Amino acid sequence: MLHIYCPYCEEHREEEEFHAKGEAHIARPADPDNTTDTEWGDYLYFRKNPRGLHHEMWVHALGCRKFFNVTRHTVTYEILETYKMGEQPTQGADA
Amino acid sequence: MSQKFRLTDGGRIDRDQPVRFTYRGKRYKGFKGDTLASAMLANGQNLVGRSFKYGRPRGIMAAGADEPNAILQLGATEATQVPNVRATQQEVFEGLVSDPVAGWPSVDFDLKSIAGTLGGKLMPVGFYYKTFMWPAKLWMTYEKFIRKAAGLGRSPLENDPDQYDKMNQYCDLLVVGAGPAGLMAALTAAKAGRRVILADEQAEMGGSLLSSDQQIDGQPAMQWAESVLADLSAMANVTLLPRATATGYHDHNFVTVVERRTEHLADQAPKGQVRNRLHRVRAGQVMLCTGAHERPLVYGNNDLPGCMVAGAVSTYIHRYAVRPGQVLALCTANDYGYQAAIDWHRAGGQVSVICDTRDNPTGELFQQAKALGISIKTGHGIVDVIGSKSVRGVVIAELADQGRRARPRTENVVADCVATSGGFSPVVHLSAHLGQKPIWNPDVLGFVPNPDCGLLSAGGVQGHYELDAVLSGATQAVAAAFDCSPIAVPAVATRHIDAPMGMFLIPHPAGTSQAPKQFVDYQNDVTASGIQLACREGFESIEHVKRYTALGFGTDQGKLSNINGVAIAAQAQGKSIADTGTTMFRPNYTPVAFGAVVGRDVGELFDPKRYTAMQPWHQANGAAFEDVGQWKRPWYFPKAGESMHDAVNREAKAVRTSVGILDASTLGKIDVQGPGAREFMNRVYTNGWAKLDVGKCRYGLMCGEDGMLFDDGVTACLGDNHFLMTTTTGGAARVYEWLELWAQTEWPDLEVYFNTVTDHWATCTISGPNARKVLEKVTDLDVSNEHFKFMDWKAAEVAGVPGRIFRISFTGETSFEINVPAHYGLHVWQALIDAGQEYDITPYGTETMHVLRAEKGFIIAGQDTDGSVHPYDLGMGWAVGMKKPFSFIGKRGMQRQDCVRENRKQLVGLKTKDPKFVLEEGAQAVFDTQAQIPMPMVGHVTSSYWSPNCERSIAMGVIKGGLTRMGESVFFPQKDGRVIEAEICSPVFFDPEGERQNG
Ligand SMILES: [Zn+2]
């Protein structure tokens, strides 16, 4: 069970308080009506599945209800950082 | 004779407190402080089972969690049966009832004639593997034997009467194991002001010191331990957990610790106490002070009752005052093994021989044994044991070629107990639970924790076995981790200890394949020759060897056998142990009761129950309840003698002919406010909200980005920047999170706030031609059709209570949903019931609600839709605002190629040709009844009811191209061979013009 630092509550809380919401930094296309089916399909369904560092979105569902991002190692489950919406990671390939 | 192996004095048992227990129906006596194993040994009862594969008698081998044989069934009653209990860890209590489990057909019956055979065929190595792999029919033959013979115990057939609970714990340092290292570590951290939990699986803390005759600070070691424990228990920042096993090491220093609170007291926990408590510990640091398990050596017939690991012999003598025999023969590959012989001798027993597999031992313990006059044979090993049900002697031989060969000349030596020490296996299990493989340390001949495992460790688990090194290592490790001072290390005499020898399998003069059976894994009857065979058959990876032979697959997880097995496989393959590697360890370290896992989350407390404010009325009026998520909703209100069908027919008719009342409080309600609220509504619903005036309501469809419907509901405009959204009962939490997701992550520029207010309001829905007349009686508001139109809402006092009335309809009748603050709910409900008396107002439940809405063709998201249905599939294109300026959620998704193709499954009504036949929900539809099986399926029934108002069956379903097939037939093949024909029609079966809801 993970121990997750909520960047809004500013403390570590148990994983049971959170929901995982999948890959982070998936931006909605600015003009959906002018995307191709392929582009829209990529946005809808295609996600990374890295062995190693991964940026994920989580929500403190049973806490402050804020969404935030996590840089987590998918093998060791180590969480290297958590950061607020709109911020960028400092760890990992996309940092 | 009673307790004939009990020593007259010594031990940590209380001779003034005798305890009676039974084993296999026979009564025995032990003392408080005994384990079941020590009490059995004291009574000379050392036959604990028959081995699974060969039916060989087995006895107690060890004195702790590593015990492979003495796995018993406990329980005085059916309900209190506990399988898988290690007799070496179970304390005896008055009235304890135990039985062997691996004794089919009985532990006494000698199975030798059919030993190792099933149906006359020898069970070969790889038996499991081969039976599972091919051919299937072989498994069928063997299964009944295996089911009967295998498995260690049985589950109770009755509910566990005991309570269990869980506790969340936090600490700076969790120390696992309260031996010398653990005590020193805990004291160091505690003195530095850290919050410490010290957990130990035994009844008494002290670990190896409990059976040590060494001195610390000039006193017996246990005196030092007791003073440390006294200090620790007096400190507010320390929690001591005896009888508590750390069973699993999980992510981010989360450790599950199972505390056995009452298993030592009685068959069933005393009233008001829990049997087990699961401590869920989140620790800053976790420190393993788990020590090491002594490895037995592997030799011929080494499974005869009376063969033990050397340290266990010392433990039984020191702690329990039991010397399990008269004459001991001992074989060791290291200095520590001598201790058992020294202890045996001092306890008045005779030691017939010590075989040291090393050629030139010089260490202190060797000298001590020699000084006691014990016969020591260096460069020798025990190669075989004499006896059939118990040990009568041993066969020893001189070893050659650095212990790789035994010379042919052997000698028989008398003995009734055999103790061996092949060295020590650090108890690294927890360190490997997250996948970090332990590392072979050739100096200590054991696997030690991987430095990357994230845990601190000290003492035996690191391969340090001398007290001075253990104590100083522990305090230094804590000091380094917490940046505090180490504490003073008490004075311990330094001993001269010789290097151990890497001896695992003692070679037999005849060679392994011709030798008597040399057991490696006792629980699974895996022998040295079996492992060699596996290697010859080409299994290289130790994981494959394990699976082929079943090595380490027992409930003991191979605590005694894994390293011996790895070493034998390594030797057979000409590899080093380091290259062969160990197998993985997984939680749990020892078996955990299901009760401890579930704790209090059973029965009534399994899941929270949610009730509306009107629950007392529902209950008093005989409602049958239905689970909707966690809500308990009235399903129907049967009158005396009514079936569900009768009740629903009556309720449904009453709504259409007079007036009905429904508790709709469970509908999800979300308050949406802010300057961005209206635009936000525009984006998350498919339809338009720009022009919805204050005081008006609108039905909305909510889709995912894929364009598929996932929730629907009516939203009321409370103010220009203020909306009250309703969701399906089951979808409330999901919709709420969905709204937050978009507001926080995509559109933070829209200022909008959400609050879930489901529980703030109670909702009474009155519906039917007389609904208005009832409402008029409880409010001064002008509720005439002229002043209060369909899809309007108004604030008003209802039955003297401030509320909101929404004129919306899920029945197709004139209908008012009255929201009042929840604590007034029951009052207003009662007022409406009273006011409706003259119209015979009829309470109805969810079943009638479903029938009424289906008569009108109103969908239920999640019943008529399944995540693959978009609004156009539902014929609800009218609720999609394709011209809205913002590309709302779902718009692009529902325009994808697959979403706009012909022949999608579309929601339609279904009228069976036989009006009395009610289709089954989920029934599959076909167009062509003559088609070959498997027939092409073209859709299915999503909702189906008997409609008392239409006086026929009605159904909805999704059918390929359904909206273009009005009037055509579809067919529903039935289980019994009948085929039901139905006509595709509009889903609106009742009042298609909608005159009633508008009137
Ligand atoms: Zn938070």
Side-chain angles (χ1 to χ4, degrees), chain A residues 5-11 13 17-18 59-68:
Chain A
Y5 182 84
C6 172
Y8 293 94
C9 294
E10 298 187 339
E11 58 182 47
R13 306 295 298 175
E17 294 185 8
F18 299 87
V59 58
H60 197 179
L62 282 83
C64 64
R65 297 171 169 176
K66 287 287 193 186
F67 287 77
F68 61 94

Side-chain angles (χ1 to χ4, degrees), chain B residues 154-183:
Chain B
R154 63 180 189 84
S155 299
L157 300 171
E158 293 173 11
N159 285 348
D160 188 338
D162 280 326
Q163 280 199 327
Y164 299 79
D165 70 9
K166 299 181 198 173
M167 194 176 267
N168 293 321
Q169 301 269 28
Y170 302 87
C171 62
D172 297 313
L173 178 66
L174 168 67
V175 181
V176 182
L183 291 173

Side-chain angles (χ1 to χ4, degrees), chain B residues 808-876:
Chain B
I808 55 181
S809 178
F810 197 40
T811 59
E813 297 296 321
T814 303
S815 182
F816 300 92
E817 291 200 7
I818 302 157
N819 275 17
V820 294
H823 49 283
Y824 293 129
L826 185 56
H827 160 75
V828 173
W829 177 272
Q830 188 63 56
L832 289 164
I833 293 284
D834 294 344
Q837 201 96 62
E838 60 180 294
Y839 305 103
D840 195 19
I841 192 167
T842 302
Y844 65 98
T846 49
E847 190 62 23
T848 294
M849 177 187 85
H850 283 175
V851 172
L852 295 172
R853 66 90 200 175
E855 288 176 347
K856 288 293 298 176
F858 296 148
I859 61 157
I860 289 184
Q863 175 167 342
D864 300 298
T865 68
D866 62 1
S868 70
V869 180
H870 60 53
Y872 293 95
D873 296 333
L874 296 166
M876 293 171 87

